Structure formats: structure tokens, C-alpha cells
Amino acid sequence: MAPVLPLVLPLQPRIRLAQGLWLLSWLLALAGGLTLLCSGHLLVQLWHFGTFLAPSCRFPALPQVALAAGAVALGTGLGCAGASRASLDATRYPPWRGVLGPLLAAGTAGGGGLLVLALGLALGLPVSLDQGLEEGLGTALAHYKDTEVPGHCHAKRLMDELQLKHHCCGRHGYKDWFGVQWVSSRYLDPSDQDVVDRIQSNVEGLYLTDGVPFSCCNPHSPRPCLQSQLSDPYAHPLFDPRQPNLNLWAQGCHEVLLGHLQDLASTLGSMLAVTFLLQALVLIGLRYLQTALEGLGGVIDGEGETQGYLFPGGLKDMLKTAWLQGAVAHRPAPEEAPPEEAPPKEDLPEA
């Protein structure tokens, strides 16, 4: 039975195949290492911004799977580089003959599966990131004032650091702070009539103002920062509330974080695609080299031509037979007909 996708390999093409595989294997190892670095960097960034992501967000699964895929690709590249180098020397190749089968199986099933899964996550999870940041930043704004509440005592510091470092304000803009109480009740004067009126005018009993925290202020502004009465056009001379970007950060933190994390995810996705392509080429080439050398007893410079292939002969028939056997096994057995009764024998008259 003819093998699947056979390829005739004379002496010189066999040697060039081994040399080319050695180079491609090192490129695969390099791509696997870069995938490890990209996924590790994205994991560190997500750890820093974990406060601003909803717990239900599945985006962190992308760098975790990519980390495993990069490690497998790195190991596959190093292993294939050693095997292709050893195949050029008849004295060094015999120990590798028993390793190539498991290496090909692990690289195809493990590495290929992880890379395909990581690529699928890179394509599908940015929507989850958008929703996770939307919910997480809303929660962070709501807990900004809870500096003495267990579990939220660092919310103010983290939000201030985010706005100062990434030059953003609020979730989608500075007006988001107008809809939350960001000043702790501990620092409100209960005898102040203005404070009492604001709390009583709110259905939820919150102290809402048209002001923002200091971390929203743009230090490049030519005038001192204006943090309160931002919606009153007469409160501050020579200040136009329709152009707050002259005094406050113009962008919301949702837009900034989403763009930053999506850029990292896009870079990681590109590295995964390159790694997948290199791994496919290396594994296919190594399979042809393995089967070609088996026909020569493991000696690459043996005389004559040999044939490399991807799958042995009869694989198609084996799969077809297994499919038919499975179909027969799941086919309901026909109902057995009751055995026919033999007709009664007639008594012959005695002579």
C-alpha cells in the first residue's frame, strides 16, 4: 500500500533537508522564547491592572495558555535542532531514533493544540477585555472613598496612580466622577448645610459634587488645577468648562487601558501565528527526514534514493476500517424473529 504524501529524497536533498531543519528549529526556539517573553509581560501587566478588571473577565487565560505554548515550542525547537544535527552523523543519530516518535507526537498534539487554542483566545477574548474593564473601573470609582474598608483600602491609591501614570481621568472621562461619591464621609462636616443639602437631595444618600480627584489634573496646564465646580461657567474666571482638557486629562482610563492591553495582545497573537507556522514546518520536515532515514537504516549518506512520507501506507484503509467498525458497533441489532415451529408429524396408519 502506497504511503501518504511520499517524497523521493536522494543524497543531496536529504543533507539540505537536515541542514534547513537545523536552522528552522533554532528559529522555532527563538520564536518560542519571544512568545514566552510576550506572554510573561502581558501577565505582569494584567497583575498590575487586576484591580480594574472584573473577576468574571476571561482575558488572563490568553497569556497563561500562550506561556505554555511558548514553552512547548521552545522545547520542540531545541529537540528538533539536536535531532537534525545528529542526523548528519551516522554515529550520533542512533540514540535519537527512539526519541523522534515521541518528540513528533508531543510537538503535534501538545504544542500544536496549545498554539491553536492560544490563537483562538487571541481572536475572541478582546471583547471580554472591553466588558471586564467597563465593570472593573466602575467598581474602582465606587470604592475610591473606602480607604478604611477592608478589601478596598488601597482602591484610592491604585486609582490615583493609574490616572497619574497613564494620563487619564475617570472611566470614560472626568464627568464620571460627578456620579459617584469619591470623598469619604469621614471627611465631611455634618454641620455644613451645603453637605446636608447635597446628601438629602440624592436618592441613595450620596454626597455628589461636580469635582474630581487631584490625580485628574494635568501638570502641563498653565494655570493651577481646578478640581471643583467644574460645571459652573461662572465659578472660575477665564475657564471654559467646554475645554476641560486644558486643565484635566482628556481621556478616560477605559480607553487608555483597553488600547494598551489590546496592543500587547496583538503583539502576542502575531508571535503565536509565527510560532505556529514555524512549528508546522519543522515537524513536517522532521517527519520526512525520519522516515527517509529509516529506509536507510539511519545513515543519511547511504547510497541510493529513499522515500520520505508523512503517514505509512494503509493508513487511509486503517482509518476507513476503524470508522466502519465503529459504525457497525453503534448500529442497532435487528430484532430476531421467533423460531418457526416445525409442523406436526402426521401419524401414518399402521399397515
Side-chain angles (χ1 to χ4, degrees):
M1 192 68 64
V4 179
L5 297 177
L7 181 64
V8 177
L9 292 172
L11 175 59
Q12 289 302 319
R14 289 197 301 269
I15 295 177
R16 285 196 295 268
L17 175 60
Q19 294 172 342
L21 272 177
W22 180 81
L23 178 60
L24 282 177
S25 298
W26 279 111
L27 290 177
L28 174 60
L30 177 62
L34 291 176
T35 301
L36 281 174
L37 291 177
C38 292
S39 54
H41 180 58
L42 182 54
L43 271 177
V44 171
Q45 293 296 304
L46 289 174
W47 179 73
H48 283 303
F49 300 133
T51 306
F52 312 111
L53 274 177
S56 59
C57 182
R58 295 291 177 262
F59 186 77
L62 168 60
Q64 294 170 0
V65 175
L67 197 68
V72 174
L74 176 61
T76 303
L78 294 176
C80 292
S84 57
R85 179 67 180 273
S87 67
L88 295 170
D89 187 350
T91 61
R92 297 174 56 188
Y93 182 69
W96 285 91
R97 295 178 70 174
V99 178
L100 288 183
L103 178 62
L104 287 168
T108 304
L114 286 172
L115 284 170
V116 170
L117 178 58
L119 282 170
L121 292 176
L123 293 174
L125 283 182
V127 177
S128 173
L129 176 62
D130 190 355
Q131 298 172 350
L133 286 173
E134 185 76 20
E135 181 181 343
L137 284 170
T139 303
L141 264 66
H143 290 295
Y144 183 87
K145 67 181 187 303
D146 300 331
T147 53
E148 297 180 357
V149 177
H152 301 292
C153 54
H154 298 294
K156 177 184 181 300
R157 176 180 60 82
L158 294 174
M159 193 68 201
D160 285 334
E161 290 177 351
L162 173 68
Q163 295 186 142
L164 289 171
K165 182 177 180 180
H166 293 274
H167 299 176
C168 60
C169 182
R171 181 165 50 178
H172 297 288
Y174 75 100
K175 288 187 178 180
D176 291 332
W177 290 106
F178 296 179
V180 297
Q181 178 180 339
W182 55 272
V183 179
S184 174
S185 299
R186 177 185 179 183
Y187 304 107
L188 299 178
D189 184 3
S191 61
D192 189 336
Q193 189 59 39
D194 179 64
V195 172
V196 175
D197 292 342
R198 287 182 180 273
I199 294 176
Q200 291 179 350
S201 63
N202 185 266
V203 177
E204 299 178 0
L206 300 177
Y207 178 73
L208 304 182
T209 64
D210 54 349
V212 297
F214 76 97
S215 53
C216 282
C217 295
N218 183 355
H220 304 292
S221 173
R223 67 174 300 162
C225 183
L226 304 177
Q227 298 176 243
S228 60
Q229 296 179 300
L230 296 175
S231 58
D232 186 355
Y234 304 104
H236 307 287
L238 303 179
F239 173 72
D240 188 355
R242 293 171 298 180
Q243 295 180 341
N245 57 316
L246 299 178
N247 187 70
L248 306 174
W249 299 122
Q251 286 185 308
C253 294
H254 178 276
E255 180 184 355
V256 173
L257 288 184
L258 183 63
H260 175 64
L261 294 176
Q262 282 186 340
D263 287 343
L264 294 179
S266 177
T267 303
L268 178 58
S270 301
M271 285 306 310
L272 288 169
V274 172
T275 304
F276 178 79
L277 177 61
L278 286 173
Q279 184 153 324
L281 292 175
V282 167
L283 292 176
I284 291 174
L286 187 63
R287 175 59 176 169
Y288 274 110
L289 182 63
Q290 178 201 22
T291 52
L293 292 182
E294 289 300 320
L296 296 172
V299 181
I300 194 171
D301 54 355
E303 296 182 359
E305 294 181 348
T306 185
Q307 192 178 64
Y309 51 84
L310 287 183
F311 302 106
L315 179 65
K316 182 178 180 181
D317 294 335
M318 290 170 55
L319 294 176
K320 183 178 180 180
T321 303
W323 174 266
L324 292 176
Q325 288 177 350
V328 171
H330 289 85
R331 184 183 302 168
E335 297 182 359
E336 297 182 359
E340 297 182 358
E341 297 181 0
K345 295 182 180 180
E346 296 182 358
D347 295 335
L348 296 177
E350 295 180 359

